[in-house]
Amino acid sequence: MLDQAASSLTNIAVLVIAARDSTVHGFATFSMVYLTFTVLLGLNMAYVGQAVVLTRGDTGAACRSAVSFTALAATAVGALLAAVGAVTAVVTDGWAGPGGAFLALGLVLPLVLVQDGLRYAFSTLRRPGLALAADSLRLVCAVPALLLLPRHTAPGLLVAVWGLSAVPALLLGLRLLWPHVRGARADLLPYVRRGHLGQRFVVEFAVGNASSQLAVLGLGLFAAPLAVGALRGATTLFGPLNVLFNSVNAFGPPLLGRLRGRRATARAAAVLGLALCAVGLAWGLVLYALPDSVGRQLLGATWQSASALLPASGAQYAVMGLGTCALVTLRVLSPRATLSVQVVFSLLSVVLMLGGYLLSGSALGAAWGLAAGSALKAVAAWTRVARPRAEERPTAAPVPAVPTG
């Protein structure tokens, strides 16, 4: 949990510093690039990270294979991003626009993805303290590096400095990993074979998280880039709640699995969901009550557009607490039920977000659309928890026949 907090705090600090030191347009561009990185990070977590932590047997070889595959895949994707960014910069907006920022992301992508992926290797080796050491160094290096940049720095330079600040943590992580993988042989074939466990995790991530992230990115590319900055700025302020939700996803299933009976499990999850809902509402009220002077110190020029979205984002995070606990409960009681709920209602959230933007013509409509989608997903998940399938209900034992004669 401390390691998750250190990683989340790094992401929050990066976005807050970028918002403070950038113009509104500059932060919108940075948000689009950082959103792309977030999607790629989630895909790597699902395809490589979640699969390697389930490894049994030769964990050293599994960890070395996971790190090697991440490095090769990130290099290939990074080269593609860099090429697209360079062409965009030359043809359209120059090096100070999105083209230069995506070029920078492509160049530093192998560094940041491998550094983040090391935590799953340490988790597999049951050495969480090593992951905490590397991620803490990442935080210590990233914040001062970004603070030293002058105001109104170009988005491409922001991305480059953020990526290069991962080098010390990457070197430390590799050094700490080396004694555990020395002599092990990397095998990349399982990652490209059909039926790899990560493929299912990628589908769940794609429909549960990446769809809404990509929809926001599409909103910036085809409609209003400033809307992305406003949505990202408002979401950044709710970063501490993401730490809670991620912790529930990581540690909730084994804890709920210890309870006896479906009713006890659902009751405990409902209490936790109500607590998270209350925390979300309270945090939203605190943010809404912030004076404009404090808000500008947090997000700079982006505060004005982001503050208008706080009621909608607060409502979204409140119902997300309920929905997260319902999905975790389903993962314990009926694992096959989560995928259908994620597919249908994540896509519905995207439709509602885009519909809200089209109807209102502003980011506020998109934010309320996301809140409505999260609420419907929570209702559907809890309905599924309360209504088990027929094969999951206990059946009465047959009455033995009375012998005759």
Side-chain angles (χ1 to χ4, degrees):
M1 292 179 70
L2 289 174
D3 178 58
Q4 179 63 50
S7 178
S8 298
L9 184 58
T10 302
N11 294 332
I12 296 170
V14 166
L15 288 168
V16 168
I17 295 172
R20 290 181 58 187
D21 295 341
S22 303
T23 63
V24 175
H25 292 277
F27 183 67
T29 299
F30 180 84
S31 296
M32 292 171 61
V33 175
Y34 203 80
L35 194 59
T36 303
F37 161 73
T38 303
V39 172
L40 294 174
L41 179 65
L43 290 174
N44 183 69
M45 174 196 68
Y47 194 82
V48 181
Q50 292 187 11
V52 74
V53 296
L54 300 177
T55 299
R56 296 180 180 178
D58 191 354
T59 55
C63 292
R64 187 163 190 169
S65 302
V67 173
S68 300
F69 180 82
T70 298
L72 290 175
T75 301
V77 176
L80 178 61
L81 283 175
V84 172
V87 171
T88 304
V90 171
V91 174
T92 58
D93 52 26
W95 300 105
F102 277 102
L103 170 63
L105 176 63
L107 296 177
V108 302
L109 188 65
L111 301 176
V112 292
L113 278 189
V114 173
Q115 189 278 319
D116 190 271
L118 288 174
R119 76 173 61 177
Y120 300 100
F122 291 132
S123 178
T124 304
L125 296 168
R126 298 185 179 180
R127 297 290 189 274
L130 303 182
L132 177 59
D135 286 332
S136 298
L137 181 60
R138 173 75 170 114
L139 173 63
V140 170
C141 293
V143 172
L146 293 175
L147 287 175
L148 291 174
L149 292 174
R151 291 184 62 83
H152 299 169
T153 300
L157 182 57
L158 271 174
V159 174
V161 172
W162 159 76
L164 292 175
S165 66
V167 171
L170 173 62
L171 295 177
L172 175 62
L174 293 175
R175 178 64 184 87
L176 295 174
L177 181 67
W178 176 245
H180 302 281
V181 301
R182 181 188 298 145
R185 182 180 178 183
D187 183 11
L188 304 183
L189 290 179
Y191 288 97
V192 295
R193 288 176 184 159
R194 185 177 181 181
H196 173 56
L197 187 60
Q199 295 171 2
R200 177 180 176 85
F201 296 144
V202 163
V203 173
E204 290 206 16
F205 169 79
V207 298
N209 297 287
S211 57
S212 59
Q213 302 278 11
L214 291 174
V216 174
L217 183 61
L219 193 65
L221 292 175
F222 303 109
L226 294 180
V228 179
L231 287 169
R232 195 62 175 176
T235 303
T236 300
L237 296 174
F238 288 88
L241 297 185
N242 289 327
V243 177
L244 291 177
F245 296 162
N246 290 334
S247 298
V248 170
N249 278 316
F251 303 105
L255 293 177
L256 292 175
R258 297 177 184 177
L259 301 177
R260 295 181 178 180
R262 185 184 190 99
R263 182 174 297 179
T265 301
R267 185 184 298 115
V271 172
L272 179 59
L274 291 173
L276 290 180
C277 179
V279 171
L281 289 174
W283 186 251
L285 290 174
V286 169
L287 293 175
Y288 190 72
L290 283 180
D292 287 341
S293 58
V294 177
R296 292 191 186 94
Q297 290 180 357
L298 289 173
L299 294 181
T302 306
W303 167 256
Q304 183 176 0
S305 57
S307 61
L309 310 185
L310 290 178
S313 296
Q316 180 190 1
Y317 272 84
V319 294
M320 279 175 62
L322 292 170
T324 298
C325 292
L327 290 172
V328 168
T329 307
L330 276 181
R331 200 173 302 162
V332 174
L333 300 177
S334 181
R336 295 179 180 272
T338 58
L339 184 59
S340 59
V341 174
Q342 290 276 36
V343 168
V344 174
F345 289 93
S346 295
L347 294 178
L348 180 61
S349 294
V350 172
V351 173
L352 291 174
M353 184 200 72
L354 296 176
Y357 177 81
L358 292 176
L359 289 175
S360 66
S362 66
L364 181 59
W368 278 114
L370 287 173
S374 297
L376 291 174
K377 182 189 287 189
V379 170
W382 278 113
T383 302
R384 185 66 187 85
V385 170
R387 189 182 59 193
R389 293 182 179 180
E391 61 268 21
E392 295 171 353
R393 299 190 182 101
T395 56
V399 179
V402 179
T404 58

